[in-house]
Each structure stands twice: as C-alpha cells, then as structure tokens.
Amino acid sequence: MSAVETAAGAASSSKPDQNEQNGQNGGREDSGGFKLKFCTVCASNQNRSMEGHLRLSLANYPVISFGTGSLVRLPGPSITQPNVYKFNETSYDSIYRELEAKDPRLYRANGLLNMLGRNRQVKWGPERWQDWQIGMPRTKHKDDKGADGMEGGVADVVITCEERCWDAVIEDLLNRGSPLNRPVHVINIDIKDNHEEASVGGRAIVDLADSLNKIAAEEREKVGASAFDSGSVGARAGFDERVPDVLAEWQERWPNLPATWTLAWF
C-alpha cells in the first residue's frame, strides 16, 4: 500500500466506516445452510485482503486471509522510509501501538491506525500465504473472525486482490505439487490499494461469494453432501464447470473490477 494511495483514502478512513461498525456489532443474519470456504489474499494482509476477510465473516462465510510479500510493508513518513514487519510474528495490535507512538497525527491522517484498529478486531496478525500449511488444523486461530468452518485448513475459493498476488499463489500451488488432490478456484479481482477501493472491493467479493455459494449448494444437493464436502474431483465437477459463467455475470455487475480465474489444486 503506497503512501500516496493511503493518503487518498484518508478522508473516508479517519472515522470508523459502516463495515467497521458492523464488525463490532455483528453482520447480516445467518440463514444457515451450506457455506463455501474462502481465502482472501493481498500483498501484506493488511488492507484489501482484510477488508474482504471482514466482509465475508460478517456475511457468515468461513474465511481466512494471507499476504504474499516477503515482508509486511506499510507507508512511513516518506516513500523511502516504509514501516516493515515480519509475517506470522507481529500482531496488528503491536503495529498499531508502534505507529501510534511514532507519529499519531500522520498515521491517523493517512488511515493506517483506523485500518489496523479494524484488523486487530478480525485476527491476531498478518499471515504469509507461502507459510500456510494447507490441510493442517488451524487450532491457534479459533478466535479469528470467520474461523468457524476453517478448522480443517482448506478453502474452496481463493480470492486475490492484484495480479502479482494471483501469480504468487498459482506458482506456490504448483510448487507444492497438489498433495491433497483437491480442486480450488483461484480468482483475482484487481482492487486498487487504498481504503476507499478496498471497501468497494469488499462488497464485490461478498457479492461474488453469494453467487458462487448459490450454485455450490445446488450442485451439492445433486451429488450428496458427503461427496461434495469431500472435495473430490468428480463430486465437484458440476460446480467447477459453472464457476466461469457465474464470474462472467458478476463481472457485468462490477465492470470496474477486472477479474481473472483458474482452477488449481491443493
């Protein structure tokens, strides 16, 4: 997230927005029934992926989130002085407190403190995609928003927020060699890295999730719950074949958010 882009979103981020209030007061009513499992990804697991994570959790979807960068990078006092942190070792709360101590006026004005305040209500800290042990129980994340349903450590749909993150996810999945032989849809939605666009992107992600979940529930009913939930190739074939059409219809509703899709494997 660049300093310029962060500043551009500062006006809308200096006060808690509606989704932050929803995060504190609860999201939409859970109608029950089947839910796809989602994963959101951006570079630093700070802005876009966390907005998507929060929105999906408020919509009652199981969800986790990651970053693909080598380090967590946030804007500093200048372009050449970013704030840099390690994934998996640094909490959102500790970052918040450090920046608040350094320059509260700057980091409140550019929206970072507001963003980090939201993030620390969602989960403990930024996680790196490449370090994710897919298929391993996430026993240390039971308090994360969206954790219910993600205990098994797998997702049905991965949504990245820019092309380089999509590339990194696909490359990593290829390098892993598909040990679970389980299909996963990897969709990139190009979302500009500022607070206003992340908010729009978060709404678009939930809209896509609702559309995908609808057809998944239909296909699950056809093949049987146990077969579909196992994630086997045969049981998921009907759902897999319908995803491109759903994405095309979604793209018509969100023409300013270019999307790319592929079917990959865990």
Side-chain angles (χ1 to χ4, degrees):
M1 187 164 60
S2 72
V4 174
E5 289 172 328
T6 305
S12 66
S13 303
S14 58
K15 298 179 180 179
D17 66 10
Q18 187 63 47
N19 76 282
E20 184 181 6
Q21 294 170 6
N22 286 342
Q24 296 167 353
N25 301 325
R28 72 187 186 191
E29 184 177 351
D30 189 357
S31 59
F34 172 76
K35 297 289 194 305
L36 285 170
K37 299 175 179 63
F38 291 90
C39 172
T40 58
V41 182
C42 66
S44 289
N45 198 199
Q46 290 284 349
N47 184 33
R48 296 162 294 176
S49 65
M50 287 300 286
E51 180 72 20
H53 185 145
L54 176 61
R55 298 265 183 174
L56 286 168
S57 71
L58 292 174
N60 304 300
Y61 287 109
V63 57
I64 53 179
S65 60
F66 297 96
T68 57
S70 58
L71 293 166
V72 175
R73 290 179 170 85
L74 293 175
S78 70
I79 294 177
T80 59
Q81 296 175 290
N83 292 287
V84 180
Y85 306 94
K86 290 183 178 180
F87 281 103
N88 310 316
E89 299 180 19
T90 315
S91 70
Y92 292 119
D93 185 62
S94 66
I95 299 173
Y96 181 101
R97 293 177 184 279
E98 178 181 311
L99 297 186
E100 186 179 41
K102 281 184 176 179
D103 192 335
R105 175 184 287 183
L106 170 63
Y107 295 118
R108 190 165 288 111
N110 68 12
L112 283 188
L113 291 182
N114 185 70
M115 180 188 73
L116 290 162
R118 173 202 64 193
N119 292 353
R120 63 183 179 177
Q121 299 299 318
V122 176
K123 65 176 189 175
W124 183 82
E127 300 174 76
R128 189 168 184 258
W129 167 276
Q130 292 87 341
D131 299 327
W132 177 24
Q133 294 180 292
I134 298 171
M136 294 295 291
R138 289 174 58 83
T139 56
K140 297 181 180 180
H141 297 271
K142 58 183 178 61
D143 294 328
D144 294 358
K145 287 190 181 298
D148 289 346
M150 293 303 307
E151 297 87 352
V154 294
D156 301 303
V157 180
V158 175
I159 299 176
T160 62
C161 299
E162 67 175 286
E163 187 174 357
R164 63 172 175 157
C165 298
W166 190 74
D167 290 340
V169 166
I170 298 301
E171 181 181 5
D172 179 69
L173 289 175
L174 289 172
N175 290 337
R176 291 179 188 243
S178 310
L180 303 182
N181 196 32
R182 182 185 178 104
V184 56
H185 294 269
V186 186
I187 300 170
N188 182 66
I189 300 175
D190 271 331
I191 302 171
K192 291 181 180 179
D193 195 4
N194 62 59
H195 302 298
E196 290 180 341
E197 293 299 326
S199 181
V200 172
R203 295 196 299 272
I205 286 172
V206 173
D207 182 35
L208 178 58
D210 288 342
S211 298
L212 291 172
N213 198 70
K214 180 177 182 295
I215 64 166
E218 293 170 356
E219 295 301 322
R220 184 174 183 260
E221 186 173 351
K222 292 178 184 177
V223 303
S226 60
F228 191 91
D229 294 349
S230 72
S232 67
V233 178
R236 291 289 179 105
F239 170 66
D240 295 342
E241 291 169 0
R242 295 178 66 182
V243 168
D245 291 337
V246 168
L247 188 59
E249 293 172 359
W250 174 91
Q251 188 71 86
E252 291 181 0
R253 298 194 297 273
W254 301 89
N256 295 324
L257 295 173
T260 307
W261 162 86
T262 192
L263 181 64
W265 304 88
F266 278 147

